[in-house]
Amino acid sequence: MNVMAKAEKKISSAFIYFFGSFGGILFGYDIGVMTGALPFLQADWHLENAASLVGWITSAVMFGAIFGGALAGQLSDKFGRRKMILMSAIVFMVFSVLSGVSPDMGEASAYYLIIVRMLLGLAVGAASALVPAYMSEMAPAKARGRLSGLNQTMIVSGMLLSYVVDFLLKDLPGEWAWRLMLGLAAVPALILFLGVLRLPESPRFLLRKGDEAQARKVLSYIRKNPAEIDQELASIKETAKEERQANQKTSWSTLFSGKYRYLVIAGVGVAAFQQFQGANAIFYYIPLIIQKATGQAASSNLMWPIVQGVILVVGSLVYMWIADKFNRRTLLMVGGAVMGLSFILPAVINWMMPNMNPMTIVVFLCIYVAFYSFTWAPLTWVLVGEIFPLAIRGRASGLASSFNWIGSWLVGLIFPIMTASMPQEAVFAIFGIICILGVLFVKTCVPETRGHTLEEIEEQGTNHGRVKASNPEN
């Protein structure tokens, strides 16, 4: 027993935080890998004129993720965060390999890949829910902001990794290129599985199961002194008691009562706008966007996703630097305004100058990605984590996540259909208008959360509800 304890004691906090957030790499890799695989897949399966099938193949992962996040959240409360992360890694490995070995059976092969990627999406959605939960329960309160930024950096690093892999494999025969791109997603899943085997369970879950001794041992790996451990154990117990009481008193209808409606609309609205603003149209389809703009083959434009990936990683680091220096609303409104203009201006310029250099749209897309990377991308989840009162936090966070995944799925699905029926400058202009609507939504419907306690934020919602009740015409 002593030998085992000594072996466990060697687990460093850096190891725990690295592999605790490594699920973000998987999440990001599968968001990005189809960007490079799709041009080769289209050519191999002759899908150039099958916009709806292309949309479904691309967006199937997000469709599965809608259910994977909700399912993983419930199962992790029963079996633990660690076990569910391990299970997600296994599912990810299996269905990544099955994607890469898709049989060539004509149109039926497309439906096979759609189903396999939906099942893969269960693991992607689970990772998106489990990783932040595990990290927030392991991290000390003073480091949660930075570690939230670490999760975002892991996600965009996974996207960049997938773009680099796509670029390195682009000169293989077309059939082998896309199969290896998709199948190699099993490698980071295997690394995650092996790393998480050594990770401890979260102390919060252990306490919920009545294992205080093990919870104390886990906290000893990542906290400096016994007094800090005792204080955190007492805090976890008190929070768990409050959550049990809150869950007994609330239902889904509670979310839309006068007291909470304002905050629920704000949090869920921001989560939905993040996706409906069209970011994933760029991340999934940038080679095809450049092909349509310039006439160059999409398979020869795989350097551009790497450019986008580098911008995303740098932006995530910029966010970690400025996160606590500016108000959430200010960053969201400035970012949304620049993002909207980046989508609208190419359409205006093209209307005024029909001979516009086709690469102009790519420059504006890079500006969009830059501002998205340090505003809406990370801040959506920071705000969602702060804005919901304890009594409704579980249900409201789940609702926000569902709307976010629904938006991601719909954008991935309809973008190729829209660009097949109208100029892509017009399509981006539509997304630009949605960005501007998002700015107006933040200005009118979202409270400031930086520097406010959860109690103060809840009071804003309560006061807003009272104002609405006394002025129903407003």
Side-chain angles (χ1 to χ4, degrees):
M1 182 65 70
N2 290 336
V3 173
M4 184 178 294
K6 289 180 180 178
E8 290 183 348
K9 193 67 179 177
K10 292 181 181 178
I11 304 175
S12 68
S13 59
F15 183 93
I16 290 172
Y17 296 145
F18 178 80
F19 279 102
S21 63
F22 195 83
I25 293 280
L26 272 69
F27 179 20
Y29 187 97
D30 214 80
I31 288 175
V33 69
M34 188 54 78
T35 303
L38 193 57
F40 298 99
L41 176 62
Q42 278 185 300
D44 189 29
W45 285 358
H46 308 292
L47 299 176
E48 290 86 350
N49 299 314
S52 60
L53 275 180
V54 169
W56 268 107
I57 290 172
T58 304
S59 65
V61 165
M62 285 73 77
F63 185 80
I66 296 171
F67 306 99
L71 188 62
Q74 295 181 20
L75 291 177
S76 69
D77 286 339
K78 183 176 182 180
F79 298 110
R81 293 15 170 177
R82 176 181 172 276
K83 287 182 180 178
M84 289 309 301
I85 294 174
L86 285 170
M87 183 60 66
S88 298
I90 292 171
V91 172
F92 206 106
M93 279 188 282
V94 170
F95 288 104
S96 294
V97 172
L98 290 178
S99 297
V101 298
S102 299
D104 195 347
M105 305 177 295
E107 190 171 300
S109 56
Y111 295 109
Y112 165 90
L113 188 54
I114 289 169
I115 292 171
V116 167
R117 283 178 57 76
M118 282 183 183
L119 295 171
L120 177 60
L122 294 175
V124 173
S128 73
L130 293 169
V131 169
Y134 182 84
M135 291 293 285
S136 67
E137 292 175 7
M138 297 297 287
K142 62 184 179 182
R144 280 177 190 146
R146 291 197 305 275
L147 290 172
S148 173
L150 174 61
N151 182 47
Q152 176 67 18
T153 300
M154 283 290 199
I155 292 171
V156 295
S157 296
M159 293 174 68
L160 178 57
L161 175 64
S162 72
Y163 297 149
V164 171
V165 169
D166 289 349
F167 182 80
L168 294 176
L169 298 177
K170 68 182 177 64
D171 293 326
L172 292 175
E175 179 181 359
W176 283 102
W178 70 264
R179 291 181 184 279
L180 276 174
M181 290 171 186
L182 298 184
L184 284 174
V187 175
L190 177 62
I191 294 172
L192 175 66
F193 180 84
L194 295 175
V196 174
L197 282 177
R198 288 197 65 212
L199 288 188
E201 184 52 85
S202 98
R204 182 169 180 170
F205 175 79
L206 292 169
L207 271 180
R208 287 182 61 181
K209 295 300 180 183
D211 193 349
E212 183 171 342
Q214 187 63 23
R216 183 179 294 276
K217 181 183 291 187
V218 172
L219 284 174
S220 73
Y221 303 155
I222 50 181
R223 301 294 185 265
K224 292 183 178 179
N225 58 66
E228 186 179 2
I229 293 171
D230 291 338
Q231 182 180 358
E232 185 152 354
L233 284 172
S235 176
I236 292 172
K237 289 178 183 177
E238 182 61 28
T239 301
K241 179 181 176 182
E242 291 175 0
E243 287 184 345
R244 282 195 300 271
Q245 294 172 345
N247 288 334
Q248 291 170 0
K249 297 177 182 177
T250 61
S251 63
W252 283 104
S253 62
T254 309
L255 271 62
F256 301 100
S257 66
K259 182 178 181 180
Y260 299 120
R261 186 187 305 121
Y262 170 58
L263 297 177
V264 170
I265 290 173
V268 173
V270 167
F273 267 111
Q274 186 205 43
Q275 291 301 331
F276 283 109
Q277 289 169 335
N280 281 345
I282 302 173
F283 303 146
Y284 300 144
Y285 298 111
I286 185 66
L288 300 180
I289 292 168
I290 296 175
Q291 175 180 290
K292 190 159 187 176
T294 65
Q296 300 172 0
S299 57
S300 66
N301 286 311
L302 297 189
M303 180 57 74
W304 280 103
I306 296 179
V307 173
Q308 307 287 348
V310 170
I311 293 172
L312 284 169
V313 172
V314 172
S316 73
L317 299 176
V318 170
Y319 165 73
M320 293 175 70
W321 177 53
I322 68 171
D324 296 319
K325 293 181 172 66
F326 298 95
N327 284 343
R328 317 289 193 227
R329 279 164 42 92
T330 301
L331 288 174
L332 288 173
M333 287 191 287
V334 170
V338 175
M339 288 154 54
L341 290 174
S342 299
F343 275 162
I344 294 170
L345 285 177
V348 174
I349 294 172
N350 189 57
W351 173 66
M352 297 176 65
M353 296 185 297
N355 295 323
M356 174 186 79
N357 187 321
M359 291 303 290
T360 301
I361 191 172
V362 181
V363 173
F364 278 105
L365 293 184
C366 290
I367 295 172
Y368 174 101
V369 171
F371 277 80
Y372 175 81
S373 68
F374 66 86
T375 58
W376 280 83
L379 275 171
T380 293
W381 301 113
V382 172
L383 192 141
V384 165
E386 294 172 334
I387 202 169
F388 297 131
L390 180 64
I392 61 167
R393 188 173 302 154
R395 287 186 172 91
S397 297
L399 188 64
S401 179
S402 294
F403 269 83
N404 187 265
W405 278 116
I406 290 169
S408 178
W409 165 59
L410 285 174
V411 169
L413 176 64
I414 67 174
F415 181 78
I417 299 172
M418 292 173 71
T419 55
S421 58
M422 66 178 78
Q424 66 180 6
E425 290 87 355
V427 176
F428 283 122
I430 293 171
F431 286 129
I433 292 170
I434 295 173
C435 290
I436 301 302
L437 292 175
V439 172
L440 296 176
F441 178 83
V442 171
K443 182 175 177 60
T444 58
C445 300
V446 178
E448 181 56 55
T449 59
R450 183 177 78 100
H452 293 280
T453 66
L454 297 179
E455 290 73 24
E456 289 171 342
I457 296 167
E458 182 172 353
E459 184 64 22
Q460 290 184 66
T462 302
N463 291 339
H464 195 275
R466 288 176 186 150
V467 170
K468 285 291 184 182
S470 60
N471 298 284
E473 71 277 7
N474 294 333

